[in-house]
Amino acid sequence: MTTNFVDYVKIFIRSGKGGAGSAHLLRVKYNAKAGPDGGDGGRGGHIILKGNSQRWTLLHLKYTKHVFAEDGEHGGENLCTGRTGRDQILDVPLGCVCKDAETGEILGEVTEDGQEVIIAKGGRGGLGNDHFKSPTNQTPRYAQPGEPSIERWIIIELKMLADVGLVGFPNAGKSTFLSSVSAARPEIADYPFTTIVPNLGIVKYRDDRSFCIADIPGIIEGAAEGKGLGLRFLRHIERNSILLFMVSCENMDIKKEYKVLLKELEKYNPELLDKKRILAVTKCDMLDEDLIKQMKKTLPRGVPSVMVSSVTGLNIQKLKDMIVEAIEVTNA
């Protein structure tokens, strides 16, 4: 599974050079100096990213190290313009960001199916000598060269597009929840880091509506500094509309666990704290009603919370209602 999920690639790209303009002079039977007739050079090919909703990983680009677009052809006689170089189009999943590997400059983002973003423009073709004729220079013997190509190393990163991002420590019950409310079938086991790649699930709601959930590999304390699997996957929750925090009722101090998760998100990207949040206390099928009432008193304030069980279905519908309401408020 790990080998099939690729969310980061580094590629060397080169757009096409523009073709040179022609400096041809027309010669006909009865006029050896009929004037300039050099055509323009063709444009070099672009390097283009194109959104493809059928792709969900960058696996198809994992072993692509070089991408070169075609050069534009030179201009010809009889005012013939050179052929435009063929573009190179890279299909990518929705949610990809392309950066210059050296400067970190963002070259483009792809968020819609069929969207095209030029990340390296082909050089423009040079003008032929026909453009330079004048009353004082009727036979110019020069033309423009084509513009050079653009070369750079690029990084393409995938940030998953989902309405809801699941945030929690390993073994918090995120994958069990996802499998109970959607058709997604992530690996589930009673040990930490069962989920080692993000999983997406579509959750059906009332009136034929639905929303998308992303199950992110569990965060541990220190994830923002690179511990565990967290750092690699934290970027996947940057695009989520709301964040669903999941903490197991097995933890003695749920408020403390919630604060640690918030702290890790803040260290990675403070803007994540601006997103709407919901807290779900999982595995509550192990508790009786009295314990649930006692635990509710200890939950953190300022965040909507609900006690759930993915096994028995306890409050799952209520949680769905809270999620849809939060999404509607966020998108309003």
Side-chain angles (χ1 to χ4, degrees):
M1 187 67 176
T2 52
T3 56
N4 289 340
F5 185 82
V6 178
D7 60 356
Y8 176 101
V9 292
K10 186 175 180 181
I11 302 173
F12 182 77
I13 61 170
R14 184 174 68 210
S15 63
K17 291 187 295 187
S22 170
H24 189 267
L25 297 174
L26 178 62
R27 289 177 172 79
V28 294
K29 186 173 181 181
Y30 300 107
N31 186 355
K33 297 179 180 178
D37 70 339
D40 301 340
R43 170 183 65 77
H46 299 319
I47 306 289
I48 299 172
L49 294 188
K50 184 175 182 180
N52 185 340
S53 60
Q54 300 304 308
R55 294 195 182 277
W56 67 282
T57 172
L58 295 169
L59 177 66
H60 62 295
L61 296 177
K62 183 177 181 181
Y63 300 107
T64 302
K65 294 303 176 191
H66 302 90
V67 175
F68 300 149
E70 192 177 42
D71 294 338
E73 288 191 350
H74 300 324
E77 57 189 71
N78 290 326
L79 301 179
C80 286
T81 300
R83 185 170 61 82
T84 298
R86 190 182 297 109
D87 298 332
Q88 281 282 12
I89 298 177
L90 302 177
D91 268 5
V92 294
L94 307 189
C96 278
V97 178
C98 181
K99 300 177 182 177
D100 185 300
E102 292 185 12
T103 66
E105 175 193 359
I106 294 178
L107 305 174
E109 298 184 46
V110 177
T111 56
E112 297 176 11
D113 188 40
Q115 177 188 356
E116 293 190 356
V117 176
I118 298 173
I119 54 172
K121 286 188 174 182
R124 289 181 298 181
L127 299 176
N129 62 349
D130 178 65
H131 289 273
F132 303 107
K133 64 186 178 184
S134 68
T136 57
N137 185 9
Q138 296 183 2
T139 56
R141 289 175 166 79
Y142 52 84
Q144 278 185 335
E147 286 185 343
S149 58
I150 294 174
E151 296 183 351
R152 55 165 59 113
W153 281 96
I154 62 164
I155 290 170
I156 304 175
E157 286 182 343
L158 171 61
K159 297 181 181 181
M160 298 181 92
L161 291 169
D163 298 304
V164 185
L166 300 186
V167 181
F169 288 104
N171 220 18
K174 301 188 300 300
S175 297
T176 305
F177 170 72
L178 184 65
S179 66
S180 70
V181 297
S182 74
R185 291 294 174 263
E187 185 179 346
I188 300 169
D190 191 23
Y191 56 84
F193 294 125
T194 313
T195 301
I196 50 179
V197 299
N199 292 294
L200 281 181
I202 303 296
V203 180
K204 291 183 179 178
Y205 189 63
R206 299 185 176 103
D207 306 323
D208 294 325
R209 289 188 291 170
S210 63
F211 55 89
C212 182
I213 290 184
D215 174 21
I216 312 301
I219 297 173
I220 64 170
E221 195 166 0
E225 285 85 39
K227 292 183 181 177
L229 299 172
L231 180 65
R232 183 180 164 201
F233 295 112
L234 276 171
R235 66 170 171 269
H236 289 297
I237 60 178
E238 289 183 311
R239 293 184 185 274
N240 302 148
S241 299
I242 69 170
L243 300 178
L244 175 58
F245 287 75
M246 305 200 88
V247 179
S248 171
C249 70
E250 299 165 310
N251 292 300
M252 299 302 293
D253 193 340
I254 291 176
K255 191 183 292 185
K256 179 185 175 184
E257 299 281 300
Y258 173 70
K259 286 182 177 178
V260 172
L261 289 170
L262 274 184
K263 185 179 175 185
E264 289 305 318
L265 295 188
E266 184 179 23
K267 281 193 285 187
Y268 176 72
N269 182 353
E271 292 180 10
L272 291 174
L273 299 192
D274 295 334
K275 294 181 181 291
K276 276 203 163 297
R277 306 191 288 271
I278 296 173
L279 172 62
V281 181
T282 63
K283 306 182 183 181
C284 289
D285 54 288
M286 299 188 293
L287 308 178
D288 58 28
E289 288 187 19
D290 290 337
L291 275 173
I292 288 177
K293 285 180 182 177
Q294 290 178 25
M295 188 166 281
K296 280 182 178 178
K297 297 176 184 177
T298 66
L299 296 183
R301 295 179 181 178
V303 57
S305 58
V306 61
M307 316 287 281
V308 301
S309 168
S310 301
V311 176
T312 65
L314 174 69
N315 288 333
I316 293 297
Q317 187 58 51
K318 181 180 178 181
L319 177 55
K320 286 185 186 180
D321 294 340
M322 293 170 68
I323 289 170
V324 170
E325 185 181 338
I327 292 172
E328 288 174 348
V329 170
T330 302
N331 296 338

